[in-house]
Amino acid sequence: MRHLPLDDVTTFSAHDGTKLAYHAFGDGTPLICLPGGPTDSEYLGDLGGLSAHRRLIRLDLRGTGLSAVPEDPTSYRCDRLVDDMKALREHLGLERMELLAHCGGANLAVLYAARHPERVGKLALITPSVRAVDLTVTGDLRSETAQLRRGEPWFPSAFRALQEVATGNATAEHWKAIAPFSYGRWDETAQAHQAAGDERMNMEVVAAYGAAGAFDPEATRTALARFTSPVFLLAGEVDLGAPPRTMAEFAKLFPNAEFVVQQRAGHYPWLDDAAWFVGATAGFLG
């Protein structure tokens, strides 16, 4: 088993005085890493060994992990977290930040890039959420992507549960049953990763993150069309949450984007094939 490097944990003050924490791994040029969820950044680990190429700065979003709970719960809203990103950049003394964002963290990354394009160098979006740009992942596309896993022993029960999710009749057990679709391999590592993520999820933060007013897709799309820094968008071949066809549409919103599909990978591609993921991502970052 590969052991994670020891990390340094540092706190800094956001614009409203909330104490935020980040974890630093590795050496070299800093790479700010934004988790999805929204949740704390622990589940990212060292992104399959990417810390051998960059100094990873993993931010715990406010109210998660080692970051403090704010006095104002409405400050969890995604567009308001852009100011936390500004505070982090200033704390680190960086003129420009290179960003890597996973899943829901991509919403925050693109809002920051749209508002402060001059402060962003390279931008890597890993199996990103599309809420900030209002793309649609249809039920038919999810079902088609799910069928790629039909040879797996868990597929029949998971697919039945997926159909319940699609009809809006899902129970907590149905949501639990579709978890294997998020991973390229539903092995012990994936199961432990999923269980740990479930324990860390704070539904108050999740609800507030995407509350009304958080996103203005038309304005964001317009801003991203003028964002000229290099963008890397990685999709997992079998990822229902961010299917490659929709991810290709996302990449086209940028004038300078590289789009890749990691074969046999799900929503957490650094777990499915760390060497491939690190090689492709580090290759983009340079």
Side-chain angles (χ1 to χ4, degrees), residues 78-86 108 111-112 115-116:
C78 186
D79 60 321
R80 298 185 64 180
L81 296 184
V82 171
D83 288 335
D84 289 353
M85 297 285 293
K86 178 176 181 289
L108 176 54
L111 291 188
Y112 183 82
R115 195 181 301 178
H116 302 291

Side-chain angles (χ1 to χ4, degrees), residues 23 36 81 158 186 212 251 254:
H23 309 253
L81 296 184
W186 187 236
F254 301 93

Side-chain angles (χ1 to χ4, degrees), residues 265-284:
H267 200 56
Y268 308 93
W270 61 91
L271 293 179
D272 297 320
D273 187 339
W276 197 98
F277 172 82
V278 170
T281 307
F284 164 74

Side-chain angles (χ1 to χ4, degrees), residues 25-214:
F25 297 82
D27 298 303
T29 303
L31 177 67
I32 313 306
C33 301
L34 302 179
T39 185
D40 65 83
S41 65
E42 183 178 353
Y43 80 94
L44 295 173
D46 75 335
L47 289 164
L50 191 59
S51 59
H53 301 268
R54 288 298 180 94
R55 183 160 179 79
L56 307 185
I57 307 294
R58 263 183 14 205
L59 179 64
D60 285 348
L61 303 178
R62 57 176 51 213
T64 74
L66 299 180
S67 289
V69 173
E71 292 184 5
D72 178 7
T74 67
S75 67
Y76 291 130
R77 208 173 74 175
C78 186
D79 60 321
R80 298 185 64 180
L81 296 184
V82 171
D83 288 335
D84 289 353
M85 297 285 293
K86 178 176 181 289
L88 175 60
R89 182 189 62 78
E90 292 173 348
H91 166 77
L92 294 171
L94 300 173
E95 285 297 315
R96 296 173 57 142
M97 295 192 295
E98 296 195 346
L99 301 177
L100 179 148
H102 174 247
C103 187
N107 296 313
L108 176 54
V110 298
L111 291 188
Y112 183 82
R115 195 181 301 178
H116 302 291
E118 76 285 357
R119 298 299 188 184
V120 181
K122 294 180 177 180
L123 172 61
L125 303 176
I126 309 302
T127 59
S129 166
V130 296
R131 291 189 68 183
V133 294
D134 193 30
L135 295 176
T136 300
V137 182
T138 66
D140 286 345
L141 179 55
R142 293 191 200 278
S143 180
E144 179 184 327
T145 306
Q147 288 291 340
L148 297 173
R149 313 298 297 281
R150 59 185 176 273
E152 304 278 357
W154 47 262
F155 177 82
S157 59
F159 191 73
R160 285 194 297 271
L162 181 65
Q163 291 174 311
E164 293 298 324
V165 170
T167 61
N169 297 317
T171 64
E173 287 304 308
H174 290 129
W175 284 103
K176 183 178 180 180
I178 67 172
F181 284 121
S182 293
Y183 299 86
R185 294 189 307 274
W186 187 236
D187 54 16
E188 291 184 2
T189 298
Q191 291 170 35
H193 189 265
Q194 178 68 29
D198 289 343
E199 291 178 1
R200 290 196 301 271
M201 195 67 69
N202 181 328
M203 296 313 296
E204 179 187 6
V205 178
V206 172
Y209 187 78

